[in-house]
Amino acid sequence: MKRIVRVFLIAIVIVITYTCAWSQPGQPMERIHAAKMAYITDRLRLSEEQAGNFVPLYNEYDNEIRATRHNYFSKYGGVNPAESDDATALQAIDDNLDYQADVIDIKRKYNERFLKIITPQQLADLNRSEREFKQILVQRLKQHQNNGGRLQRRNGR
Protein backbone atom coordinates (compact mmCIF):
# COMPACT_ATOMS: atom_id res chain seq x y z
CA MET A 1 0.00 0.00 0.00
CA LYS A 2 2.87 2.38 0.83
CA ARG A 3 4.38 1.68 -2.58
CA ILE A 4 1.14 2.56 -4.38
CA VAL A 5 0.82 5.81 -2.44
CA ARG A 6 4.48 6.69 -3.14
CA VAL A 7 4.12 5.95 -6.87
CA PHE A 8 0.92 7.97 -6.97
CA LEU A 9 2.59 10.95 -5.26
CA ILE A 10 5.57 10.79 -7.62
CA ALA A 11 3.21 10.68 -10.60
CA ILE A 12 1.32 13.72 -9.32
CA VAL A 13 4.56 15.68 -8.81
CA ILE A 14 5.70 14.79 -12.33
CA VAL A 15 2.40 15.80 -13.91
CA ILE A 16 2.32 19.09 -12.00
CA THR A 17 5.94 19.87 -12.87
CA TYR A 18 5.41 19.04 -16.55
CA THR A 19 2.18 21.05 -16.73
CA CYS A 20 3.67 24.06 -14.94
CA ALA A 21 6.76 23.99 -17.12
CA TRP A 22 4.70 24.38 -20.29
CA SER A 23 2.09 26.76 -18.96
CA GLN A 24 4.09 29.39 -17.09
CA PRO A 25 5.75 32.30 -18.80
CA GLY A 26 9.34 32.80 -17.83
CA GLN A 27 12.77 31.67 -18.80
CA PRO A 28 12.36 29.28 -21.74
CA MET A 29 15.43 27.21 -20.88
CA GLU A 30 14.27 26.74 -17.29
CA ARG A 31 10.83 25.66 -18.49
CA ILE A 32 12.34 23.27 -21.02
CA HIS A 33 14.71 21.80 -18.42
CA ALA A 34 11.86 21.31 -15.92
CA ALA A 35 9.76 19.59 -18.59
CA LYS A 36 12.73 17.43 -19.59
CA MET A 37 13.35 16.37 -16.00
CA ALA A 38 9.68 15.52 -15.50
CA TYR A 39 9.65 13.52 -18.74
CA ILE A 40 12.84 11.61 -17.93
CA THR A 41 11.84 10.92 -14.32
CA ASP A 42 8.52 9.58 -15.51
CA ARG A 43 9.98 7.47 -18.31
CA LEU A 44 12.61 5.89 -16.02
CA ARG A 45 10.00 5.14 -13.35
CA LEU A 46 12.41 6.21 -10.62
CA SER A 47 11.68 5.39 -7.01
CA GLU A 48 11.53 8.31 -4.61
CA GLU A 49 15.05 7.52 -3.37
CA GLN A 50 16.40 7.12 -6.89
CA ALA A 51 14.84 10.40 -7.99
CA GLY A 52 16.34 12.23 -5.02
CA ASN A 53 19.83 11.04 -5.98
CA PHE A 54 19.41 11.02 -9.75
CA VAL A 55 18.12 14.55 -10.39
CA PRO A 56 21.10 16.46 -8.91
CA LEU A 57 23.55 14.13 -10.68
CA TYR A 58 21.68 14.50 -13.98
CA ASN A 59 21.72 18.29 -13.59
CA GLU A 60 25.49 18.16 -13.09
CA TYR A 61 25.85 15.94 -16.17
CA ASP A 62 23.57 18.15 -18.26
CA ASN A 63 25.48 21.29 -17.24
CA GLU A 64 28.79 19.70 -18.20
CA ILE A 65 27.45 18.62 -21.60
CA ARG A 66 25.98 22.09 -22.16
CA ALA A 67 29.25 23.82 -21.24
CA THR A 68 31.15 21.62 -23.69
CA ARG A 69 28.60 22.34 -26.41
CA HIS A 70 28.71 26.06 -25.64
CA ASN A 71 32.51 26.14 -25.92
CA TYR A 72 32.41 24.52 -29.34
CA PHE A 73 29.47 26.49 -30.76
CA SER A 74 30.70 29.82 -29.44
CA LYS A 75 33.71 29.31 -31.66
CA TYR A 76 31.90 27.92 -34.72
CA GLY A 77 28.24 28.88 -34.23
CA GLY A 78 28.00 31.27 -37.16
CA VAL A 79 30.77 29.81 -39.32
CA ASN A 80 30.07 27.44 -42.18
CA PRO A 81 33.32 25.48 -42.64
CA ALA A 82 32.31 24.59 -46.21
CA GLU A 83 32.44 28.30 -47.07
CA SER A 84 35.80 28.86 -45.35
CA ASP A 85 39.34 28.48 -46.54
CA ASP A 86 40.92 25.02 -46.30
CA ALA A 87 42.82 25.72 -43.10
CA THR A 88 39.69 26.95 -41.29
CA ALA A 89 37.64 24.01 -42.57
CA LEU A 90 40.26 21.51 -41.40
CA GLN A 91 40.47 23.20 -38.00
CA ALA A 92 36.67 23.13 -37.66
CA ILE A 93 36.59 19.42 -38.55
CA ASP A 94 39.34 18.66 -36.02
CA ASP A 95 37.66 20.75 -33.31
CA ASN A 96 34.35 19.00 -34.00
CA LEU A 97 35.98 15.62 -33.47
CA ASP A 98 37.49 16.91 -30.21
CA TYR A 99 34.05 18.17 -29.16
CA GLN A 100 32.44 14.79 -29.89
CA ALA A 101 35.23 12.98 -28.01
CA ASP A 102 34.71 15.31 -25.02
CA VAL A 103 30.98 14.55 -25.01
CA ILE A 104 31.67 10.80 -25.15
CA ASP A 105 34.15 11.11 -22.26
CA ILE A 106 31.55 12.98 -20.19
CA LYS A 107 28.92 10.33 -20.95
CA ARG A 108 31.28 7.50 -19.98
CA LYS A 109 32.19 9.26 -16.72
CA TYR A 110 28.57 9.87 -15.77
CA ASN A 111 27.36 6.43 -16.89
CA GLU A 112 29.47 4.95 -14.09
CA ARG A 113 28.00 7.39 -11.60
CA PHE A 114 24.43 6.88 -12.86
CA LEU A 115 24.80 3.11 -12.44
CA LYS A 116 25.32 3.64 -8.71
CA ILE A 117 21.79 5.09 -8.60
CA ILE A 118 19.81 3.48 -11.42
CA THR A 119 19.78 0.07 -13.10
CA PRO A 120 21.44 -0.65 -16.47
CA GLN A 121 17.96 -0.88 -18.03
CA GLN A 122 17.06 2.55 -16.65
CA LEU A 123 20.34 3.92 -18.03
CA ALA A 124 19.44 2.56 -21.47
CA ASP A 125 15.99 4.12 -21.05
CA LEU A 126 17.66 7.42 -20.09
CA ASN A 127 19.41 7.64 -23.44
CA ARG A 128 16.19 6.79 -25.28
CA SER A 129 14.17 9.24 -23.17
CA GLU A 130 16.59 12.08 -23.92
CA ARG A 131 16.20 11.43 -27.67
CA GLU A 132 12.41 11.21 -27.37
CA PHE A 133 12.23 14.46 -25.43
CA LYS A 134 14.39 16.18 -28.03
CA GLN A 135 12.01 14.95 -30.77
CA ILE A 136 9.00 16.22 -28.82
CA LEU A 137 10.70 19.57 -28.33
CA VAL A 138 11.51 19.87 -32.04
CA GLN A 139 7.89 19.05 -32.91
CA ARG A 140 6.64 21.69 -30.47
CA LEU A 141 9.01 24.29 -31.91
CA LYS A 142 7.87 23.47 -35.45
CA GLN A 143 4.28 23.80 -34.30
CA HIS A 144 5.19 27.13 -32.72
CA GLN A 145 6.69 28.37 -35.99
CA ASN A 146 3.77 27.12 -38.05
CA ASN A 147 1.28 28.87 -35.78
CA GLY A 148 2.88 32.29 -36.12
CA GLY A 149 4.69 32.17 -32.79
CA ARG A 150 1.81 30.79 -30.70
CA LEU A 151 2.21 27.37 -29.15
CA GLN A 152 -0.74 25.05 -29.53
CA ARG A 153 -1.59 23.41 -26.24
CA ARG A 154 -2.96 19.90 -26.23
CA ASN A 155 -6.21 21.04 -24.69
CA GLY A 156 -6.75 23.62 -27.45
CA ARG A 157 -6.07 26.77 -25.42
Side-chain angles (χ1 to χ4, degrees):
M1 187 61 141
K2 281 181 156 181
R3 181 166 163 50
I4 293 172
V5 170
R6 186 174 26 171
V7 169
F8 181 70
L9 288 174
I10 290 171
I12 288 174
V13 168
I14 290 169
V15 168
I16 290 171
T17 303
Y18 187 78
T19 303
C20 289
W22 286 109
S23 63
Q24 291 181 355
Q27 300 297 326
M29 291 307 292
E30 291 172 13
R31 290 176 38 215
I32 290 169
H33 183 72
K36 180 180 179 181
M37 289 310 304
Y39 185 82
I40 288 172
T41 304
D42 179 52
R43 295 287 292 152
L44 298 184
R45 296 182 188 94
L46 298 177
S47 70
E48 195 173 321
E49 182 181 340
Q50 283 178 314
N53 293 322
F54 174 80
V55 170
L57 181 60
Y58 185 85
N59 287 338
E60 186 181 313
Y61 158 80
D62 194 46
N63 287 337
E64 200 166 324
I65 293 285
R66 257 193 260 156
T68 302
R69 185 180 306 124
H70 177 75
N71 288 339
Y72 174 76
F73 285 106
S74 66
K75 186 173 182 180
Y76 292 105
V79 176
N80 182 355
E83 297 174 359
S84 306
D85 59 56
D86 287 348
T88 304
L90 286 174
Q91 184 63 48
I93 291 167
D94 193 44
D95 287 350
N96 182 269
L97 290 173
D98 290 342
Y99 158 71
Q100 291 179 45
D102 290 345
V103 169
I104 289 170
D105 290 343
I106 293 167
K107 288 183 177 196
R108 284 186 200 283
K109 176 177 83 173
Y110 279 91
N111 280 352
E112 293 173 14
R113 294 175 68 188
F114 285 139
L115 287 172
K116 293 177 182 175
I117 299 170
I118 61 178
T119 67
Q121 184 59 47
Q122 287 173 313
L123 183 58
D125 288 343
L126 171 62
N127 295 324
R128 185 171 358 114
S129 298
E130 287 177 315
R131 283 190 307 274
E132 289 172 354
F133 183 80
K134 202 176 293 184
Q135 290 171 342
I136 291 168
L137 186 60
V138 167
Q139 288 172 344
R140 297 270 311 210
L141 290 172
K142 284 181 182 177
Q143 248 183 347
H144 178 72
Q145 290 172 345
N146 291 338
N147 293 320
R150 288 186 21 239
L151 280 176
Q152 287 278 340
R153 301 217 189 280
R154 286 188 179 158
N155 62 7
R157 289 187 215 163

